[in-house]
Amino acid sequence: MKFVHTCWLLSAALALLIGGCKGPEGEPTTIGPGTRIDENGEIITSVDAGDMSPPEDQRVSTSGGVDRGKFEAIRFDYDSAVVRQEDRAKLEEIARWAKENSSGKLIIEGHCDERGTPEYNRALGQRRALAARAYLLKLGISAKRISTVSYGEDRPVELAHEAEAWTKNRRAEFGVTQ
Amino acid sequence: MTHRSRNCRAAISAPARPRPGGLAAILLLVFLAGFLAPVAQGEYQIEVIKQDVIAIRLPPLGGSEGAEATRILTQDLEQSGLFRIVASGGDHGIEGSASASGCQCKVFKSDGTLELTASGSGDLRRAVHRVADEIVAKLTGRKGIAQTRIAFISDKSGKKGLYVMDYDGAKVQGFGTSYSMVVAPAFSRQGDKIAFTAYRPVYPDVLVMPYPGGKAQAVSTYPGLNSGASFSPDGSRLALTLSKDGNPEIYTLSAGGGGLKRLTTTRGGESSPTWSPDGKRIAYASDEGGRPQIHIIPSSGGRGARLTSSPAYNTEPDWSAESGLIAYSSMRGGGFVISTINPEEEKHEGDVVYADGSCEDPSWAPDGRHLVFSRTVDGHSDLYMLDTYRKEAVQLTRDFGNCTQPAWSGR
């Protein structure tokens, strides 16, 4: 069975990788209601919890458009959200750009292949985006300049139902907001 | 490998649970006393629950719409799994008529005494569905599903959007076309609200929309992921997945927004929360232990416990308010089968209930007997309704793009 491989190794590595960006452990917290205005000018109930327990993740504005062609996507192993050794150079290139362009903001999009189920894949895609983000934070990029989004299996780059397409679809893409 | 299903015990025990049906439910058990027979689906032997059903005569109904009404009523009664239409004899007989303004029927016992009068007005399909549910209620003591709806996602328009159809696949209606993508719908048990995830246009938010119509309200717009909402039994709260604290976890919040409460704290990813019949527990998929498995956590907070442990990938649980069984997607050999498990039993592997093609994302009908799920063949997905007793599935969607993520309404 090709699906059964080193889960424990992967989760241990993942724990090391994303451990730094997890919220505080302990009791569940309750956050009161509020409002904010979104980018379309709509009033939205339910607050960003920012002022209560600072979430490091941001939603950078995409209203000016997003340039998705600037950086190469990184790829992931099956059912894994661990940044691969060979993709670190790509992230280091993004970090260099971010340091040279101090006003530039990034949106990281996590994607999956079609083999899992939709909502599990949406969570997995989010973990892939967060793993890439965690690596950029480690390289010194401010959390305020990075937002994450997951499309799960909904936005494949290759539509074929075979291994080569799946390899390309398990990815995180990097967009630069204008 | 031959998989021997043990679902007979769980499925048979379902009608024996106490419910307001009272005497009628006990009488129904007499009808339902049956036997088991295995059917083959691929490599699986799946137990079918054979049972005696109520034989009922349905000569063609009169009136200008009689033929169409007869067809709809026949389908409703047969798909309930509780009736068999017979040409002669039978325990009961139906007489009636239908026109563009509605449908009226009388049901007689075999000795000719009137048993009930049922009628529905307005749209013909809906009128006949109402008659069917009245017949089911009177003769079996159960609530029928002919008037229920199914919300689902289709990419027919070129982008994933929200649609609602009748339980039989008719009368499809689209919603929320202004969003760049809509996924993961959930009906409230009362059938008066639909929660869904909308990308507006880039980030996914959870919105709640009154059903059958009204303005959708954003209730969860945190940074990162907001998705997979599910209503508590009374409709007042939502369970969902948020990643705002650094990792996808299960939270609950008020269905009107606010009152956020975090439930899980793991190194893995959590998805697809679903409430227990009494609302005190929430089942969800978590890959905390490596590959995803079904877990259960108290909805008031506490420690999550793993329910399933085999095979290696189980996701998308849906907890029936009626039978107490949890249905879920279970990966077998690269595709998915539909399995069910009774969380009150000391079991860690569910029973396969449907294994023909790759099937995902089951949702229970309010009768606790029927499931709807998406079935993918050659890369194309349609919705199917399964009678989990007879193990017979009927196709609900056709030529409507890829249809996925179905969610059955409550009553």
Side-chain angles (χ1 to χ4, degrees):
Chain A
M1 294 281 283
K2 60 186 168 182
F3 300 147
V4 181
H5 41 218
T6 52
C7 325
W8 285 109
L9 250 174
L10 289 178
S11 50
L14 178 67
L16 280 174
L17 192 66
I18 68 170
C21 63
K22 271 186 65 66
E25 308 255 342
E27 290 302 301
T29 52
T30 299
I31 291 156
T35 57
R36 71 172 179 82
I37 296 173
D38 77 359
E39 61 205 36
N40 302 321
E42 286 183 44
I43 295 171
I44 293 180
T45 56
S46 169
V47 280
D48 181 313
D51 40 8
M52 302 215 41
S53 59
E56 293 172 8
D57 203 353
Q58 302 289 318
R59 279 189 167 187
V60 303
S61 171
T62 57
S63 52
V66 178
D67 175 7
R68 290 180 174 79
K70 197 170 189 65
F71 301 112
E72 222 181 312
I74 63 170
R75 293 184 183 172
F76 291 85
D77 292 334
Y78 172 73
D79 200 15
S80 164
V82 178
V83 173
R84 303 181 309 169
Q85 186 87 35
E86 58 262 48
D87 282 329
R88 291 184 179 178
K90 293 179 191 169
L91 292 166
E92 282 152 16
E93 182 198 333
I94 294 169
R96 273 196 300 279
W97 169 87
K99 283 173 182 166
E100 288 162 11
N101 297 271
S102 56
S103 64
K105 292 186 173 180
L106 287 166
I107 175 167
I108 308 177
E109 300 175 349
H111 300 268
C112 302
D113 68 33
E114 64 181 354
R115 284 180 293 171
T117 48
E119 291 308 299
Y120 176 76
N121 274 345
R122 211 172 305 283
L124 178 59
Q126 185 65 38
R127 290 169 65 210
R128 287 175 175 164
L130 288 167
R133 171 181 171 275
Y135 200 82
L136 291 175
L137 297 188
K138 215 166 76 175
L139 295 173
I141 309 307
S142 163
K144 290 183 175 157
R145 300 172 60 190
I146 305 174
S147 63
T148 57
V149 61
S150 173
Y151 290 101
E153 64 189 74
D154 289 326
R155 297 268 167 95
V157 284
E158 293 285 338
L159 295 173
H161 309 292
E162 41 79 27
E164 198 179 325
W166 295 334
T167 300
K168 290 179 181 168
N169 289 335
R170 293 190 301 267
R171 69 201 192 276
E173 293 186 9
F174 302 87
V176 176
T177 61
Q178 308 292 302
Chain B
M1 183 185 78
T2 299
H3 175 84
R4 285 280 301 172
S5 169
R6 300 178 302 274
N7 74 325
C8 44
R9 187 159 48 108
I12 277 186
S13 69
R17 290 170 64 86
R19 66 166 59 81
L23 181 62
I26 292 164
L27 288 174
L28 181 70
L29 281 178
V30 177
F31 286 116
L32 294 183
F35 59 93
L36 303 166
V39 293
Q41 269 178 25
E43 62 188 292
Y44 301 99
Q45 291 288 314
I46 294 177
E47 300 288 4
V48 171
I49 303 163
K50 293 270 193 184
Q51 56 189 218
D52 293 329
V53 292
I54 297 172
I56 194 162
R57 273 176 295 108
L58 177 55
L61 301 175
S64 59
E65 300 293 334
E68 176 69 357
T70 306
R71 205 184 57 74
I72 298 165
L73 186 56
T74 299
Q75 184 177 304
D76 284 350
L77 292 176
E78 288 190 336
Q79 288 192 349
S80 74
L82 304 169
F83 291 90
R84 181 165 55 95
I85 306 296
V86 294
S88 61
D91 312 307
H92 308 267
I94 301 174
E95 290 175 11
S97 66
S99 67
S101 63
C103 177
Q104 299 79 36
C105 288
K106 289 179 175 177
V107 180
F108 298 92
K109 288 183 185 167
S110 52
D111 65 6
T113 57
L114 178 65
E115 196 151 32
L116 80 132
T117 302
S119 66
S121 60
D123 173 81
L124 182 69
R125 294 197 71 89
R126 300 266 165 87
V128 176
H129 289 329
R130 183 181 170 85
V131 167
D133 278 352
E134 286 188 28
I135 292 172
V136 168
K138 176 72 177 179
L139 299 189
T140 72
R142 309 186 136 222
K143 285 181 181 165
I145 57 169
Q147 295 177 93
T148 58
R149 310 280 160 84
I150 295 168
F152 64 100
I153 300 302
S154 168
D155 63 2
K156 183 181 190 301
S157 72
K159 60 182 186 180
K160 288 195 170 189
L162 172 65
Y163 297 83
V164 177
M165 63 185 181
D166 286 359
Y167 94 106
D168 57 2
K171 295 198 173 293
V172 180
Q173 186 187 4
F175 293 91
T177 51
S178 66
Y179 309 116
S180 63
M181 181 163 73
V182 177
V183 294
F187 249 115
S188 67
R189 216 163 274 183
Q190 295 72 22
D192 62 344
K193 290 189 288 261
I194 297 174
F196 57 89
T197 303
Y199 287 75
R200 309 188 305 157
V202 171
Y203 299 111
D205 294 328
V206 169
L207 285 79
V208 172
M209 178 184 82
Y211 182 80
K215 187 168 164 49
Q217 183 195 10
V219 298
S220 185
T221 61
Y222 293 98
L225 183 61
N226 304 257
S227 192
S230 158
F231 283 96
S232 63
D234 67 1
S236 69
R237 288 188 75 75
L238 294 171
L240 76 175
T241 296
L242 304 179
S243 69
K244 71 179 191 65
D245 293 315
N247 195 41
E249 305 280 357
I250 303 296
Y251 298 72
T252 66
L253 51 70
S254 164
L260 188 69
K261 183 179 183 67
R262 179 174 176 173
L263 291 185
T264 60
T265 304
T266 74
R267 300 285 185 193
E270 279 71 44
S271 58
S272 302
T274 176
W275 300 73
S276 66
D278 63 5
K280 290 182 176 166
R281 289 173 291 167
I282 289 171
Y284 57 97
S286 171
D287 62 358
E288 186 183 4
R291 292 286 183 251
Q293 295 291 345
I294 311 302
H295 289 60
I296 295 179
I297 195 168
S299 58
S300 57
R303 188 167 290 276
R306 197 169 68 178
L307 174 66
T308 61
S309 57
S310 176
Y313 189 116
N314 296 311
T315 59
E316 300 178 320
D318 188 63
W319 205 329
S320 169
E322 180 72 10
S323 71
L325 296 179
I326 296 174
Y328 58 96
S329 313
S330 184
M331 188 184 274
R332 313 272 176 145
F336 287 88
V337 301
I338 303 298
S339 290
T340 64
I341 191 167
N342 183 343
E344 316 308 336
E345 292 179 0
E346 292 291 321
K347 293 169 63 176
H348 300 289
E349 180 171 354
D351 302 315
V352 176
V353 294
Y354 199 75
D356 186 12
S358 188
C359 302
E360 295 181 21
D361 211 347
S363 174
W364 285 106
D367 67 358
R369 170 171 177 162
H370 291 83
L371 284 171
V372 61
F373 50 78
S374 70
R375 177 170 180 264
T376 303
V377 178
D378 296 332
H380 183 84
S381 303
D382 273 303
L383 302 183
Y384 285 71
M385 175 172 68
L386 174 73
D387 180 339
T388 61
Y389 288 15
R390 295 189 292 197
K391 306 296 184 295
E392 290 171 4
V394 294
Q395 186 172 351
L396 297 181
T397 58
R398 244 176 258 275
D399 304 321
F400 203 77
N402 287 292
C403 298
T404 54
Q405 297 197 298
W408 218 309
S409 72
R411 298 291 181 202

